[in-house]
Each structure stands twice: as structure tokens, then as C-alpha cells.
Amino acid sequence: MKQDILVFIGRFQPFHIGHEAVVAEALNKAEHVIILVGSSNRAPSLRNPWNFEDRYEMIKKVFPYEVNTEKLIIKPLADTLYNDEAWTSNVQRIVDETASELGFDKDHPAKIGLIGHSKDKSSYYLKLFPQWNSVDVPHEVGVFNATDIRTSYFQGAPIIPHDIVPKEISAYLKEHMMSDHFRHICAEARWAKDYKASWATAPFPPTFVTVDNIVVQSGHVLMIRRGGHPGMGQLALPGGFVDHDETLLESAIRELKEETKLADKHGPFPMGKLKGFLDGQGVFDDPKRSVRGYTLTHAFLFRLPPAKELMKVIGSDDAVEAIWVPLGSLDPRECFEDHWFIINKMLDGAM
Ligand code: NAD
């Protein structure tokens, strides 16, 4: 049965022949295909190097006629890490809005389907939409994945796998090699490779334990700008690795002190006093949250008393800068790893 609308969700980092084959099949099976480009609100990283606009351009290069005639509609889809209900409702909202833009309504509802290939555990999201028809793609096209493409591309002697990316994407990648963005992701990739190599002789893959501080005062959150890899130049929560002779809370407060030099008008803020403002804690465990490998972070929320003048901060240690950012202007696309999502979760969705 032909669908009115087929929805295809993915990261497309980059768009390869597996994705192309699914889109081609979807175009045969439906009047309209909506591609939702996932993780559109993430900062550039080795796992998500290209932003929404880049990926829109890639897909349009492969399917120019279908995009120009609106048979293929491409929209951004934000991650809402640690909140699948928010993500699901966002997908539903975007698809409903698009259906109404296409002329469907309550009296003439669209026949909607979701197309995708259940490749591994990470494809669980295909089961989150029982109200739509499920169009499975039974076979993978080729034995490869986008991670391998990124690994061989983002290196000193980049390899473009012409056999597994459409020719338009080969040309795109060739041109992209000249960009600062390419050089930046290569530097991140080199750092990650060396970091993983330094743990290669461990008997088991390591699990790292870190702490992060969410310090809020008068509608602002305290952030630092990262001075080194990974995430060089991105905004992050003050925090770091736990030392072997301290509790998690001691570690969090030590990192906060080292990276931000938090002070009031009397001088450095006494850390004992800071404990009095502790207003919550949480553990964040997305297995893919860090390029280092599995890294569990314990987050501590400190709510400082409202004040006309925010506490003084100076970036030091791993931080090139420490700044108070108004909650409403913190952009997830500038934030390291899952830090924006941690803030949002700890502040009950205030972002
Ligand atoms: P992807 O680009 O890896 O894959 C997209 C689709 O293409 C999948 O259906 C995949 O199985 C299929 N595919 C990949 N290779 C194929 C091949 N060789 N042959 C045939 N089909 C192939 O994208 P993804 O990681 O699955 O994208 C999911 C998106 O949804 C991500 O952006 C993720 O962050 C997002 N998501 C977010 C939340 C949340 O924020 N709470 C929850 C679930 C999913």
C-alpha cells in the first residue's frame, strides 16, 4: 500500500549509499518523504561533525529534483538526550506540521509510515511510533558504517571511500578537505586516537568517572571555555576527573575552584559554604557521551542566592575562560558533549 508520507530519521554523518538506497525505496513507496536530520543541535565532534545545514546540502546534492519539487522534505531534528518522550513528541509535532503544510487535515488524514533499518541497539527509536505504519528495510546495503567512513576520512592522509558514498558526496568531501572545519575535526580525531592508544594495554576497556558542576545564580549558569581537546573552544561545565583520594563532592568542588576561581567581594568563596547551596545531584551515563570511551559523570547542582552582581569568576587550569551565561542564550550547538542536556535535566527542563 502506497503511503502519503514516509518518515526517515538519521544522523547521516555523512550521507552514504545505504541511506541513499533507503531514500530511493521510500520515494517509490510514498507520495512524500520527510527526512528528519537528527542531532541537529549538537556541537561539532568526531561523532557528529556536520551541522544540519551541511547535511541538508549533502542530501540535496544527491536528490536535487526531489527536494526542489518537495517530494523530499528535509527538516532538522534536535536531540533531547535523557528524555525520549520529549524527542518522540518533537518528531510527532514536526511530522504533523509537515502533513498539514502538504494539505492533510483531520478530515483527510495522511497515511504515515516510518522507514528504517533496525541495525543495532541504537535503532530502538524505530519502535517509538506504533501509530504509524512500519516500513522495515530488511537488508543493509553493504557491510560498512558511517563511523568507519569518518575514521578514514578525518586523518592526515584522508581516504574518501568512493564505493560507499554517492558520487555527489565524494565531491563534497573532496572540497570539504580544504576547510578549517575539516582540520579541526582531524585534530580532535588525532587526539582521540592517541588517547585510546594510551589505554590499549589495559585488560578491559576502561570506564572513566568524572564530576561536573551546574552552578546557577540569578538566571545564569557558570560555564568554562575548553582550552584543549576534546571539544577545544567549546563551552563546558566546570568539572573533571575524580582523584583517588577524594569523594565525588570534594572532587567537584576542587574542580570548580581550580577552573573558575569563584569569589565574592570578600575573596575566594569558601568551599565549605558552597556545600550549603547544594540543591541536587545526578548521574549521566549515555554510553556515547564521550569520545574518550565510557565516561560516567556525577553532576552537582549549586543554586547560589540571587544577587544584583554575579560572583566573580576567572578561567584557569583547563579553562581558557570562565563566564556566566544567561540560561536563555546558552546554545546547545556550542556546548561540549552532553553538557547542555545535563543542565536542562538538572534544572527540570528550564532550557
Ligand atoms: P544513522 O545515520 O546511523 O542511520 C539512519 C538510518 O539509516 C537508520 O534506520 C539506519 O539503520 C539506516 N542505515 C544505516 N546504514 C544503512 C545501510 N548500510 N543500509 C541500510 N540502511 C542503513 O542514524 P541514527 O544514529 O540511527 O539516527 C538516529 C537519530 O535519532 C540520532 O540523531 C539520535 O540522536 C536521534 N535520537 C535521539 C533521541 C533523544 O534525543 N532522546 C532518542 C532516539 C534517537
Side-chain angles (χ1 to χ4, degrees), residues 315-332:
S316 76
D317 199 39
D318 298 337
V320 286
E321 154 176 63
I323 43 170
W324 289 103
V325 183
L327 290 171
S329 53
L330 189 64
D331 186 338

Side-chain angles (χ1 to χ4, degrees), residues 291-343:
V291 70
R292 291 187 178 96
Y294 194 35
T295 308
L296 289 168
T297 201
H298 290 69
F300 292 89
L301 169 64
F302 297 97
R303 281 198 163 93
L304 302 181
K308 279 209 163 156
E309 205 176 318
L310 298 171
M311 279 205 198
K312 291 185 188 56
V313 288
I314 304 170
S316 76
D317 199 39
D318 298 337
V320 286
E321 154 176 63
I323 43 170
W324 289 103
V325 183
L327 290 171
S329 53
L330 189 64
D331 186 338
R333 290 168 303 180
E334 290 176 15
C335 293
F336 180 55
E337 292 182 344
D338 56 352
H339 289 198
W340 189 91
F341 303 98
I342 293 178
I343 300 168

Side-chain angles (χ1 to χ4, degrees), residues 11-12 16 19 38-39 79-80 84 87 117 119 124-125 141:
R11 280 187 303 122
F12 314 117
H16 57 55
H19 300 132
S39 307
D79 280 351
T80 54
D84 273 355
W87 184 79
H117 172 67
K119 58 177 173 171
Y124 75 97
Y125 64 85
V141 177

Side-chain angles (χ1 to χ4, degrees), residues 18-34:
H19 300 132
E20 182 187 27
V22 177
V23 175
E25 188 166 339
L27 288 164
N28 275 331
K29 289 190 163 154
E31 292 303 326
H32 299 277
V33 175
I34 305 175

Side-chain angles (χ1 to χ4, degrees), residues 213 215 222 249-264 267-278 302 304 311-312:
N213 294 287
V215 183
L222 180 53
L249 182 57
E250 283 165 357
S251 169
I253 290 177
R254 173 186 53 74
E255 286 286 349
L256 183 62
K257 213 171 163 175
E258 284 172 7
E259 292 189 344
T260 72
K261 308 268 182 235
L262 195 67
D264 63 11
F269 197 62
M271 292 301 146
K273 206 167 154 191
L274 191 69
K275 282 185 189 166
F277 297 114
L278 183 63
F302 297 97
L304 302 181
M311 279 205 198
K312 291 185 188 56

Side-chain angles (χ1 to χ4, degrees), residues 79-121:
D79 280 351
T80 54
L81 221 53
Y82 307 116
N83 189 345
D84 273 355
E85 278 77 25
W87 184 79
T88 312
S89 93
N90 203 16
V91 172
Q92 292 167 350
R93 195 173 311 114
I94 299 172
V95 172
D96 283 351
E97 279 166 12
T98 313
S100 98
E101 284 157 18
L102 291 169
F104 296 99
D105 57 26
K106 282 208 171 74
D107 297 329
H108 307 94
K111 280 198 291 291
I112 300 177
L114 180 68
I115 191 164
H117 172 67
S118 203
K119 58 177 173 171
D120 55 31
K121 229 170 77 180

